[in-house]
Amino acid sequence: MVENNSSTHTFWELIKSDKIVIPPLQRDYAQGRERNPEIEQIRNSLIDEIYESLNTDKPLVLNFIYGEKADDRFVPIDGQQRLTTLFLLHWYIFKRAGFSEGLEVVKGFSYQTRVTSERFCENLCDTTIDFT
């Protein structure tokens, strides 16, 4: 029997309570790969929505993300691209702000699609980056 525990959570609430693990059945993150005007419009629209949300404190609704919670892990079946975008956005803001506690929390995001993707996520929060 499948249990339906549908509820609304922010990315921050989810990653603070569970590790987010992108399973091998998902493809790698692909935002920005295609040079297609329709895809670019979708991407630009998403950036505009994120920007508006950050500047107006308006909730950003990214539709449904489906997955399974087991123990302290959330494994998405659908929504991997959205979760990765939110992970990268949180990482960037925390890194720029020097918010080390937040960086420790987002270390709970991981990919199992490829070893290089997994290592990228593991090392990103500890990497020193000069943003100038």
Side-chain angles (χ1 to χ4, degrees):
M1 178 177 185
V2 175
E3 186 177 337
N4 182 359
N5 284 336
S6 184
S7 57
T8 302
H9 299 282
T10 66
F11 175 82
W12 186 242
E13 290 167 342
L14 181 61
I15 198 150
K16 279 177 63 178
S17 68
D18 298 296
K19 291 180 173 131
I20 300 172
V21 180
I22 308 300
L25 64 96
Q26 295 282 340
R27 67 182 189 272
D28 280 335
Y29 186 65
Q31 284 288 26
R33 285 193 184 165
E34 294 187 43
R35 295 285 179 224
N36 175 319
E38 188 175 310
I39 302 237
E40 287 184 21
Q41 191 280 325
I42 292 168
R43 184 174 39 249
N44 290 337
S45 170
L46 175 61
I47 291 169
D48 289 343
E49 289 175 29
I50 292 170
Y51 183 82
E52 181 183 352
S53 176
L54 289 170
N55 284 303
T56 64
D57 207 23
K58 174 184 168 188
L60 177 64
V61 178
L62 294 176
N63 252 332
F64 297 102
I65 295 173
Y66 299 98
E68 178 179 69
K69 273 183 84 162
D71 300 320
D72 67 340
R73 296 168 41 132
F74 175 76
V75 180
I77 296 168
D78 181 50
Q80 175 267 120
Q81 299 278 328
R82 287 166 277 171
L83 287 169
T84 303
T85 298
L86 290 170
F87 160 70
L88 291 170
L89 181 62
H90 280 76
W91 166 82
Y92 177 76
I93 291 169
F94 294 163
K95 196 70 164 176
R96 288 293 304 248
F99 183 43
S100 57
E101 293 86 4
L103 289 169
E104 284 301 314
V105 172
V106 297
K107 283 182 181 180
F109 185 90
S110 178
Y111 264 75
Q112 292 182 337
T113 55
R114 290 189 303 180
V115 173
T116 53
S117 297
E118 188 174 359
R119 277 195 227 131
F120 174 81
C121 291
E122 285 175 4
N123 294 316
L124 184 63
C125 294
D126 293 327
T127 301
T128 301
I129 296 175
D130 181 359
F131 288 105
T132 60

